[in-house]
Amino acid sequence: MTIKFSHKYEKLRGLKSGDQIKLLQVLNIKLELLTNSFITYDTDGVYPLPKRGEYLMLIFEKGHGDIFTTLRRFTPDKNEYYKCHQGEFFNVIINESEG
């Protein structure tokens, strides 16, 4: 399994393409309930998100208790996929040309 990132986000510090991270939890969230501070943390201000909508918050562990989140648009298929793989490892792919 892989998870792709379109940018070398600050939250990914210490990770490179090919590293493995563990999916700890998947939460269904509504974007309108998140603070601007959280949205800025998650996107580094480079990835625009809609003001409202259903999303998935994925909580990953980089190792030794170092966790980070990422948001993914909700679809029934994505919801089922990620929830079925909680507790499993994902290979990281980072588009290095973007930062």
Side-chain angles (χ1 to χ4, degrees), residues 1-30:
M1 293 169 295
T2 62
I3 184 142
K4 296 180 183 180
F5 296 92
S6 61
H7 177 77
K8 181 78 172 174
Y9 295 97
E10 179 63 26
K11 65 188 176 187
L12 303 177
R13 185 177 345 144
L15 289 176
K16 61 187 180 312
S17 288
D19 285 349
Q20 288 197 325
I21 55 177
K22 185 176 184 179
L23 179 59
L24 299 177
Q25 185 76 49
V26 179
L27 302 172
N28 297 73
I29 56 108
K30 293 185 181 293

Side-chain angles (χ1 to χ4, degrees), residues 6 10 32 34 44 55 62 67 93:
S6 61
E10 179 63 26
E32 59 268 27
L34 298 177
D44 279 356
Y55 269 66
K62 293 190 232 182
I67 64 171
I93 298 175

Side-chain angles (χ1 to χ4, degrees), residues 20 28 38 44 59 69 72 75 77 82 93:
Q20 288 197 325
N28 297 73
F38 184 85
D44 279 356
I59 304 172
T69 63
R72 295 291 191 256
T75 68
D77 288 344
Y82 286 118
I93 298 175

Side-chain angles (χ1 to χ4, degrees), residues 21-85:
I21 55 177
K22 185 176 184 179
L23 179 59
L24 299 177
Q25 185 76 49
V26 179
L27 302 172
N28 297 73
I29 56 108
K30 293 185 181 293
L31 285 182
E32 59 268 27
L33 299 178
L34 298 177
T35 64
N36 288 335
S37 294
F38 184 85
I39 298 289
T40 300
Y41 147 79
D42 195 75
T43 65
D44 279 356
V46 300
Y47 188 86
L49 292 174
K51 296 286 186 204
R52 308 178 68 75
E54 291 185 59
Y55 269 66
L56 298 171
M57 181 184 294
L58 310 179
I59 304 172
F60 283 98
E61 181 180 25
K62 293 190 232 182
H64 300 96
D66 188 7
I67 64 171
F68 71 95
T69 63
T70 191
L71 298 173
R72 295 291 191 256
R73 189 171 10 105
F74 175 91
T75 68
D77 288 344
K78 283 183 186 180
N79 186 50
E80 183 178 341
Y81 173 77
Y82 286 118
K83 286 189 174 176
C84 284
H85 294 293

